Amino acid sequence: MDQQIKKVFHTALVLVPPKHCIDQIQLLRKQHDKAYDRWMPHVNLCFPFVDPAQFEQVFQVLQNHLKDFPSFQVRLREFNHFQHGKNCVMWLKPESENDGIQKLYQEILKVYPQLDDLNKKSEHGFQPHITVGQFGINQIEQRKKAFQPQFHEVQFQCQEIHMISRNGQDDPFSIIHTIKFKTDNPQAYEYPGQK
């Protein structure tokens, strides 16, 4: 079945840490991340994503495809960075049980191969990350060394991902649909961006 979609930049498919895991991430982001007000802490899986007019259809397809995908543990503990010229983006590296995030990404692309933009962003392919801030190239190593010992490792069960949308360029994203995985021990998590 050919899944025709229109891609836009005011929606995304994301993995979001639960609210009880994000306090220290948000403290850093509030000071250092220019997207703090617009984005919740997240790992982008697909961005750009589909037009909101197609959300219901895409939700049904993805939920059906991923209903037997096993939930997995995610650990956040290590800072890393991307360099863009003289600027750097610092991020937390999500370590996933059984390489769950990469496997999840490949499953999404089986249904919607045209949503592979994040696979083409760098020579390293898809690199899951949670942005915590933007820094000059002269500051980045010093900032990482300062933040790392203060950060307490966070773990959570990834049992679902979210389709998010915003109205205008400066509006915050909200969760519109939640795609649930197979889990033997579902957790009743609350997420930033839930209505």
Side-chain angles (χ1 to χ4, degrees):
M1 182 166 69
D2 186 20
Q3 306 284 350
Q4 292 295 321
I5 56 166
K6 175 187 174 188
K7 289 193 276 191
V8 297
F9 284 92
H10 56 278
T11 68
L13 182 64
V14 294
L15 184 164
V16 178
K19 273 187 179 175
H20 73 272
C21 294
I22 65 170
D23 287 354
Q24 54 185 337
I25 300 171
Q26 289 296 72
L27 278 172
L28 288 172
R29 290 187 66 232
K30 189 171 187 176
Q31 286 185 291
H32 304 291
D33 185 8
K34 60 188 178 190
Y36 174 80
D37 291 326
R38 297 188 306 276
W39 290 84
M40 66 281 282
H42 68 284
V43 175
N44 268 329
L45 298 166
C46 299
F47 181 72
F49 191 46
V50 301
D51 190 279
Q54 298 178 303
F55 259 34
E56 194 60 44
Q57 167 201 340
V58 170
F59 167 67
Q60 296 295 342
V61 170
L62 286 174
Q63 181 59 79
N64 187 53
H65 185 70
L66 295 171
K67 68 181 184 293
D68 293 321
F69 189 84
S71 61
F72 54 90
Q73 286 294 118
V74 176
R75 178 189 300 181
L76 303 172
R77 61 178 176 175
E78 182 186 342
F79 290 97
N80 207 326
H81 74 276
F82 299 125
Q83 184 179 334
H84 304 290
K86 294 182 179 178
N87 297 309
C88 296
V89 174
M90 189 189 301
W91 45 275
L92 276 165
K93 176 183 177 183
E95 300 170 33
S96 55
E97 175 187 25
N98 299 322
D99 213 14
I101 296 176
Q102 288 288 350
K103 289 178 180 171
L104 171 61
Y105 185 67
Q106 294 309 315
E107 286 300 316
I108 294 163
L109 295 188
K110 284 181 186 175
V111 190
Y112 291 108
Q114 63 272 60
L115 290 175
D116 65 343
D117 298 78
L118 298 179
N119 216 12
K120 301 172 184 168
K121 268 195 120 165
S122 85
E123 62 201 43
H124 304 292
F126 173 58
Q127 289 186 281
H129 63 281
I130 296 178
T131 298
V132 294
Q134 298 79 30
F135 300 94
I137 193 167
N138 299 329
Q139 302 174 297
I140 192 70
E141 291 303 332
Q142 176 188 353
R143 293 298 184 123
K144 278 198 303 192
K145 283 179 186 153
F147 294 162
Q148 192 65 66
Q150 313 245 342
F151 190 81
H152 300 289
E153 178 181 310
V154 170
Q155 291 192 49
F156 61 93
Q157 177 175 269
C158 180
Q159 58 189 19
E160 53 209 357
I161 54 175
H162 306 284
M163 297 170 61
I164 63 174
S165 180
R166 63 182 172 191
N167 293 323
Q169 188 67 28
D170 296 323
D171 289 340
F173 278 96
S174 296
I175 293 173
I176 308 299
H177 286 299
T178 297
I179 297 157
K180 296 186 177 294
F181 306 151
K182 182 179 180 182
T183 180
D184 298 327
N185 183 26
Q187 305 294 311
Y189 289 145
E190 290 184 13
Y191 295 94
Q194 274 180 324
K195 289 184 176 177

